[in-house]
């Protein structure tokens, strides 16, 4: 079986698993990773090695770009303290405790143990975004979890690089320490400069598809150039995305924005599907050369590392939450988040491709490399599968299912948008203004409390019937060769846009699983 045929079969299996995950309301990353392990253990299963130098920019850079573009700078400023605690403090505490366990129980040298700690410390941006996208939790908790996943990779990768350099070369020179210290601010600065230059490049590209291609090329280029400049590629991409988003808050081309959103949604989703499948498929490669007593000791050590990773995050989340709550109560102010939200944040610490890829980067002569790689794989699998699959029940158990609240908030905003349009049309005395205002009054009536949606439902039903008649007429014109294929597709797209405006909101969302 060729590589292409094997990959095609895996994607077909992924599609089936996505339907199962959707039907059971389970996060698809957990299902795909678990299925990948199952496939890897089958006799004759194809081997799909991960090249870490390619996997990180290919799978992580687009996920970071997509997530960071949707994370406003104002939100980062609002939650900067918890973001620093989770993205920096949580990573460092986890790395240090895992390093101590690696030194005390596995006999790793201090620098090598710290490498292991840095590998397993950061929760994954792609995993967090993919799993949280199908859930409705408190806005503050959601923002902190998504924001944390944008920055913790940078802290962990810098610590990983420094510890690995110290282990392989016997120490760090002053120049190397200075380079690592400048990597984070250098990455941010480089990303901001790239974001300033990118609009000038975009002006040279006119087509929407060409612009989409340029966006992906620029994302990969920023990551790769940042690596060659020895600055943080993670922070470079995050700074690029957040700077671009702040500069394009009012897009000049709605067409470009809609198409870009759809393209990025699909590409990032496909890359996530492949990444989570590939992570599971590494099971045979990791344990294939281990057997007997060595494997049992390595598995016991892996279990200990998993326990440390999970418990430390819960302790950090609850400890920070209770400390803030005590301070706010002492100041006579309301608590910003409950212990239930902190518990959820502590449990939502899924590791992913960054952890596995950095483990595979380790040189062949790294001390106890097979044990370290197995520990990294165990942490990824345990957090993705166990925490991922139990996340939805935990949200319900903690009373943090905010789907009803989110729906009410969405209705309130939509009502405000419709009333803003009515306010703008108040002084319009023309017949066209009156007709347009009547449509917005129908929408406001449908969104009022209690709703008065009879007229809105009739309007939507009649609109859909009229669009169906237009589609039939368009098909007749095509069959009778009254227009070209390009013109037919253009008019068909116009009818699609018109239909989307009268469909219910749940029918117009682009979902994953």
């Amino acid at each position: 079986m060729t590589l292409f045929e094997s990959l095609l079969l895996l994607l077909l299996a992924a599609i089936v698993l996505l339907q199962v995950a959707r039907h059971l309301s389970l996060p698809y990353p957990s299902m795909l990773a678990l299925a990948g392990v199952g496939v890897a253990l089958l006799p004759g299963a194809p081997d799909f090695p991960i090249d870490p130098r390619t996997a990180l920019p290919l799978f992580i850079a687009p996920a970071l770009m997509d997530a960071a573009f949707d994370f406003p700078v104002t939100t980062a400023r609002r939650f900067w303290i918890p973001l620093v605690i989770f993205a920096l403090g949580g990573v460092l505490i986890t790395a240090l405790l895992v390093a101590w366990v690696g030194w005390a129980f596995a006999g790793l040298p201090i620098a090598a143990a710290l490498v292991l700690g840095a590998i397993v410390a950061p929760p994954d941006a792609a995993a967090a975004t993919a799993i949280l996208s199908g859930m409705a939790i408190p806005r503050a908790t959601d923002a902190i979890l998504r924001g944390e996943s944008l920055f913790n990779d940078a802290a962990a990768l810098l610590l990983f690089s420094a510890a690995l350099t110290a282990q392989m070369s016997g120490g760090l020179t002053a120049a190397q320490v200075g380079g690592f210290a400048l990597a984070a601010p250098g990455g941010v600065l480089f990303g901001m400069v790239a974001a300033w230059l990118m609009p000038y490049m975009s002006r040279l590209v006119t087509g929407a598809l060409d612009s989409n291609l340029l966006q992906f090329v620029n994302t990969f280029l920023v990551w790769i150039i940042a690596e060659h400049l020895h600055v943080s590629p993670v922070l470079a991409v995050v700074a690029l995305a957040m700077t671009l988003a702040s500069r394009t808050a009012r897009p000049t081309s709605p067409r470009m924005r809609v198409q870009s959103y759809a393209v990025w949604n699909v590409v990032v989703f496909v890359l996530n599907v492949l990444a989570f499948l590939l992570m599971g498929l590494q099971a045979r490669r990791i344990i294939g050369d281990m057997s007997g007593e060595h494997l049992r000791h390595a598995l016991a050590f892996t279990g200990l590392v998993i326990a440390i990773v999970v418990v430390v995050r819960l302790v950090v989340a609850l400890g920070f939450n209770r400390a803030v709550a005590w301070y706010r109560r002492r100041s006579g102010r309301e608590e910003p988040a409950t212990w239930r939200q902190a518990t959820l944040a502590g449990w939502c610490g899924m590791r992913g491709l960054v952890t596995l890829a950095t483990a595979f980067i380790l040189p062949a002569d790294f001390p106890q490399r097979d044990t370290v790689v197995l520990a990294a794989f165990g942490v990824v699998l345990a957090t993705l599968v166990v925490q991922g699959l139990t996340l939805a029940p935990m949200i319900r158990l903690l009373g943090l299912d905010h789907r009803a609240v989110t729906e009410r908030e969405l209705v309130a905003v939509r009502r405000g948008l419709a009333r803003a349009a009515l306010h703008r049309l108040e002084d319009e005395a023309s017949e066209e203004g009156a007709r347009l205002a009547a449509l917005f009054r129908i929408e406001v009536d449908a969104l009022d409390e209690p709703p008065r949606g009879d007229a809105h439902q009739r309007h939507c039903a009649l609109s859909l019937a009229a669009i169906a008649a237009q589609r039939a007429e368009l098909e007749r014109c095509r069959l009778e060769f009254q227009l070209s294929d390009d013109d037919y597709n253009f008019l068909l797209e116009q009818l699609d846009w018109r239909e989307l405006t009268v469909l219910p909101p749940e029918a117009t969302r682009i979902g994953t699983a």
Side-chain angles (χ1 to χ4, degrees):
M1 185 179 294
T2 66
L3 177 64
F4 177 73
E5 291 169 342
S6 300
L7 186 59
L8 183 61
L9 287 177
L10 283 177
L11 289 176
L12 288 173
I15 293 172
V16 174
L17 289 168
L18 289 170
Q19 307 317 303
V20 174
R22 186 188 300 274
H23 180 71
L24 298 177
S25 299
L26 296 174
Y28 76 86
S30 306
M31 295 287 290
L32 293 174
L34 189 59
V37 173
V39 171
L41 298 179
L42 293 175
D47 184 26
F48 288 93
I50 290 180
D51 177 10
R53 303 293 180 185
T54 302
L56 282 175
L58 177 61
F59 294 111
I60 301 302
L64 280 173
M65 182 73 176
D66 186 52
F69 193 86
D70 294 331
F71 192 76
V73 175
T74 53
T75 303
R77 290 172 181 162
R78 179 189 295 268
F79 298 109
W80 72 271
I81 295 179
L83 287 178
V84 169
I85 293 297
F86 278 101
L88 188 59
V91 166
L92 290 177
I93 294 173
T94 302
L96 290 174
L97 285 176
V98 170
W100 178 80
V101 169
W103 170 77
F105 291 88
L108 289 170
I110 291 294
L114 193 56
V115 168
L116 171 61
I119 288 173
V120 300
D124 186 65
T129 303
I131 289 178
L132 290 174
S133 62
M135 301 181 181
I137 60 177
R139 281 202 307 272
T141 306
D142 182 81
I144 291 170
L145 290 173
R146 292 178 188 269
E148 170 212 2
S149 67
L150 298 177
F151 303 106
N152 53 26
D153 286 346
L157 288 175
L158 288 175
L159 181 60
F160 168 82
S161 299
L164 182 60
T165 301
Q167 171 61 36
M168 303 311 295
S169 62
L172 292 174
T173 65
Q176 289 172 329
V177 172
F180 288 126
L182 294 175
V188 173
L189 180 61
F190 175 64
M192 294 176 68
V193 170
W196 181 77
L197 294 173
M198 197 175 288
Y200 296 99
M201 299 173 59
S202 301
R203 291 173 189 172
L204 304 176
V205 180
T206 55
L209 293 174
D210 308 39
S211 298
N212 290 147
L213 180 59
L214 180 63
Q215 290 171 353
F216 284 100
V217 170
N218 283 334
T219 300
F220 294 127
L221 277 177
V222 165
W223 180 287
I224 293 170
I225 293 173
E227 284 188 325
H228 285 289
L229 294 175
H230 302 292
V231 298
S232 170
V234 172
L235 291 180
V237 172
V238 170
L240 169 71
M242 296 181 72
T243 305
L244 283 175
S246 64
R247 294 185 64 185
T248 58
R250 294 164 52 184
T252 56
S253 171
R255 169 66 177 173
M256 180 61 200
R257 175 171 179 160
V258 170
Q259 178 157 323
S260 178
Y261 176 80
V263 168
W264 274 88
N265 206 39
V266 171
V267 172
V268 170
F269 174 66
V270 172
L271 289 175
N272 281 348
V273 167
L274 287 173
F276 293 122
L277 263 178
L278 288 174
M279 279 188 280
L281 286 168
Q282 305 311 304
R284 176 184 295 178
R285 177 177 292 269
I286 293 170
I287 65 174
D289 297 330
M290 303 175 67
S291 60
E293 190 68 19
H294 178 46
L295 179 59
R296 285 192 291 272
H297 281 302
L299 288 174
F301 175 69
T302 298
L304 184 59
V305 172
I306 292 170
I308 292 292
V309 166
V310 173
V311 172
V312 166
R313 182 173 174 86
L314 283 168
V315 170
V316 169
L318 286 168
F320 172 70
N321 174 267
R322 291 299 86 197
V324 172
W326 171 81
Y327 177 77
R328 302 275 288 199
R329 284 197 305 268
R330 191 177 179 187
S331 305
R333 292 181 289 173
E334 185 180 356
E335 296 181 20
T338 66
W339 67 267
R340 292 181 174 86
Q341 290 171 266
T343 302
L344 175 60
W347 192 248
C348 190
M350 288 71 64
R351 271 62 174 176
L353 190 63
V354 170
T355 292
L356 205 56
T358 48
F360 283 137
I361 289 175
L362 295 176
D365 58 346
F366 188 85
Q368 301 188 48
R369 184 183 187 278
D370 53 354
T371 300
V372 171
V373 173
L374 178 61
F377 180 75
V379 168
V380 170
L381 192 63
T383 54
L384 268 182
V385 174
V386 177
Q387 290 183 311
L389 292 180
T390 57
L391 198 57
M394 176 164 285
I395 289 173
R396 291 191 292 269
L397 180 65
L398 294 172
L400 296 176
D401 188 349
H402 278 214
R403 281 176 294 185
V405 176
T406 301
E407 185 61 33
R408 287 196 300 270
E409 292 172 344
L410 181 61
V411 168
V413 173
R414 291 181 61 204
R415 187 190 303 122
L417 295 177
R419 286 177 173 164
L422 276 177
H423 179 71
R424 169 61 182 82
L425 296 170
E426 282 179 352
D427 299 329
E428 291 291 333
S430 63
E431 182 179 353
E432 293 79 10
R435 289 177 179 176
L436 189 57
L439 294 178
F440 282 111
R441 287 194 188 95
I442 290 174
E443 185 176 351
V444 170
D445 288 344
L447 296 170
D448 272 342
E449 292 286 351
R452 294 173 290 168
D454 292 343
H456 184 261
Q457 292 175 3
R458 287 196 300 272
H459 166 73
C460 292
L462 289 172
S463 297
L464 292 174
I467 292 170
Q470 289 180 301
R471 291 187 186 280
E473 174 63 14
L474 181 60
E475 291 298 327
R476 185 193 66 78
C477 293
R478 186 191 194 190
L479 291 174
E480 295 184 3
F481 204 61
Q482 296 181 12
L483 75 172
S484 67
D485 287 342
D486 286 343
D487 291 338
Y488 167 81
N489 289 322
F490 171 74
L491 293 174
L492 184 64
E493 185 181 16
Q494 297 298 306
L495 293 179
D496 289 340
W497 285 117
R498 190 171 298 172
E499 183 173 348
L500 286 172
T501 63
V502 292
L503 286 173
E506 60 272 13
T508 58
R509 286 184 182 270
I510 299 177
T512 50

